[in-house]
Amino acid sequence: MSPRLTPKTFLATGLWLAALATAGFAAAQPAAPLPVIEPPPKAAASEEAPPLSVPTPAPLAVPPISEKEVAAAPPPAAGEVKPPGVVVRRARYDVAVLEALDKVTAESLRFEAAVGRPVRYKSLIFTVKACERSAPDEALDDSIAYLTVDSQPRPAPGKPPLAPRQTFKGWMYASSPGLHALEHPVYDAWLITCRAAAPPSAPAR
């Protein structure tokens, strides 16, 4: 016996069929296009398989060099000729020519200082220990002096002299006054040259 189809049941059945038809229509619609994915780039050359090891070929034999292909060495310059085993020493002199400058008054004075004899310039005392010139085989003709400079103001009348204070000790170069210069707030001094002392003159008869 089939169930009785009432108006309420008929209405419910119609709504269910309509919903089913709608769902089938939606499923039949074409899907949206998928995004295109590019293939990954090829691996770099460094990721490729390593090449096969190739054995290193044996070195070729080099033909000997004949004497004609060897260039002769240039002759040495005249100033570079040195006898074997001979050392050329610098010539030493007994007088140094110095120049001093007072930075306050702009007064300068050129004077001579014999080796081993202190010479005073205002409040400075110069004592030359050695003075020499460049050797003939040296590239630069220069004068070099080793000296000390002490600062000692003149004593006031009736008072004992103050102890000297050393302000410079070392070599001075005539060609480069600023290489090893005197550092003093008031005075400046540099070497001019080295020379031999004049021979004593014969007494007049």
Side-chain angles (χ1 to χ4, degrees):
M1 182 176 179
S2 60
R4 186 179 179 182
L5 188 62
T6 62
K8 186 176 180 179
T9 305
F10 180 80
L11 179 61
T13 304
L15 294 176
W16 179 78
L17 292 175
L20 184 61
T22 304
F25 176 78
Q29 293 293 330
L34 298 176
V36 179
I37 301 176
E38 297 291 339
K42 293 183 179 180
S46 60
E47 298 180 0
E48 295 180 357
L52 298 177
S53 58
V54 180
T56 305
L60 300 177
V62 181
I65 302 176
S66 61
E67 296 182 0
K68 296 181 180 180
E69 298 176 354
V70 179
E80 297 179 358
V81 177
K82 295 182 181 180
V86 177
V87 178
V88 181
R89 298 183 178 274
R90 292 176 175 176
R92 291 211 164 185
Y93 297 85
D94 47 8
V95 174
V97 181
L98 304 171
E99 187 165 350
L101 171 67
D102 189 332
K103 301 177 185 179
V104 177
T105 62
E107 176 188 2
S108 63
L109 176 66
R110 182 171 294 189
F111 58 94
E112 296 180 353
V115 175
R117 294 184 180 181
V119 177
R120 174 180 286 275
Y121 170 75
K122 295 190 177 182
S123 63
L124 298 182
I125 299 176
F126 296 81
T127 305
V128 180
K129 305 292 185 179
C131 197
E132 55 190 32
R133 299 285 297 271
S134 301
D137 59 343
E138 294 188 56
L140 179 63
D141 184 14
D142 198 3
S143 296
I144 310 102
Y146 186 86
L147 67 155
T148 61
V149 182
D150 298 329
S151 177
Q152 186 183 30
R154 295 181 183 274
K159 292 185 179 181
L162 300 176
R165 181 173 55 86
Q166 190 175 85
T167 60
F168 179 84
K169 180 181 180 181
W171 291 94
M172 281 189 177
Y173 299 84
S175 62
S176 304
L179 183 60
H180 196 190
L182 170 67
E183 296 181 359
H184 194 276
V186 179
Y187 304 109
D188 194 4
W190 55 91
L191 175 67
I192 299 299
T193 187
C194 299
R195 71 171 186 82
S201 57
R205 294 181 180 179

